[in-house]
Amino acid sequence: MATFWIILTAILVSSACAILGCFLILRRMALVGDAISHAVLPGIAIAFLWSGSRDSLWMLLGATVFGLLTVFFIQTLQAGGLSSDASIGIVFTALFAVGVILISLNAQHIDLDLDCVLFGEIAYVQWDTLTLWGLDVGPRAVWMLGITLLIILVVVGLFYKQFKLCAFDPALAAACGIPVVLFHYALMGLVSMTSVASFESVGSILVVGMLIVPAAAAYLLTDQLGKMILYAVLIGAASSVGGYLMAYAMDASIAGCMVAVAGILFVLALLLSPKHGIVLRYVRRKYAAR
């Protein structure tokens, strides 16, 4: 049963991250996902200190607020003349440092540590269960991630055309009357929610891998957004199952192995992609040279 909950949690994490990761890749905002996943740390710490509990709802709200603040600060610095990478680096390191300071100053009073937030431990999800009306309804992480994935599916499903147009051509979207800024912040809010919902299962650092690697691999396999999202979800699910099997065989970190398998799948896509594959391009050049 433990294996089932671990793999289910991993698939929920990878699916939520893969869907959002596709839009981040298309908008050339991969590093923003990295920045948000680190910069929400002070939001988690402040929410905990204010509420006095590790209730996921308060942490989710705190993380979402700081995720949106991160995007706002990045865009403000860019408008002031700084380059995109410099703006991202300044904002996420500064906010992340604030979160580290808040946790370290209050570590003796709270049951919240950096190892939990940064690395997580997916093997323990089965022990933290949710009880409703006196009934044990399963791991809290599964419910949290399931609700997060459902919200992502509903929002992206309802506004798929708007998100798609904003990703490919923001200027055209604005000309069509689509509120580009609103959808931009909606996407960033979803990334923030997914990051904090995944903290206790895979940790902040490994969320970045699932946000970017499956989507980047899918980007190499197709030029259609719908197929890209489907491929990214499938690659994420395959990484979850394969990573668990690798971790079991090697007695290693489960989350680490999952991202490692995702990296292996990306390399395979890079080599064998029908359009962009290094191997196939080499073969075509060899035949063309004859």
Side-chain angles (χ1 to χ4, degrees), residues 63 82 92 94 105-106 122-123 151 172 225 232 271 285:
L82 277 179
F92 105 77
L105 287 177
N106 296 277
I122 197 170
I151 292 173
L172 177 60
L225 179 56
L271 293 173
R285 282 199 300 265

Side-chain angles (χ1 to χ4, degrees), residues 153-168:
L153 290 173
V154 170
V155 173
V156 173
L158 288 175
F159 303 103
Y160 177 75
K161 292 182 179 179
Q162 289 86 341
F163 277 114
K164 181 178 180 179
L165 190 55
C166 289
F168 284 104

Side-chain angles (χ1 to χ4, degrees), residues 30-91:
L31 287 179
V32 172
D34 185 8
I36 288 177
S37 65
H38 286 76
V40 296
L41 183 59
I44 295 174
I46 291 172
F48 183 89
L49 293 171
W50 185 75
S51 65
S53 72
R54 291 177 59 184
D55 188 292
S56 298
L57 177 61
W58 290 112
M59 290 191 176
L60 189 64
L61 291 174
T64 301
V65 168
F66 269 81
L68 296 177
L69 283 175
T70 300
V71 179
F72 174 76
F73 291 148
I74 290 172
Q75 291 185 329
T76 301
L77 291 179
Q78 287 177 345
L82 277 179
S83 63
S84 175
D85 55 347
S87 301
I88 292 172
I90 290 171
V91 172

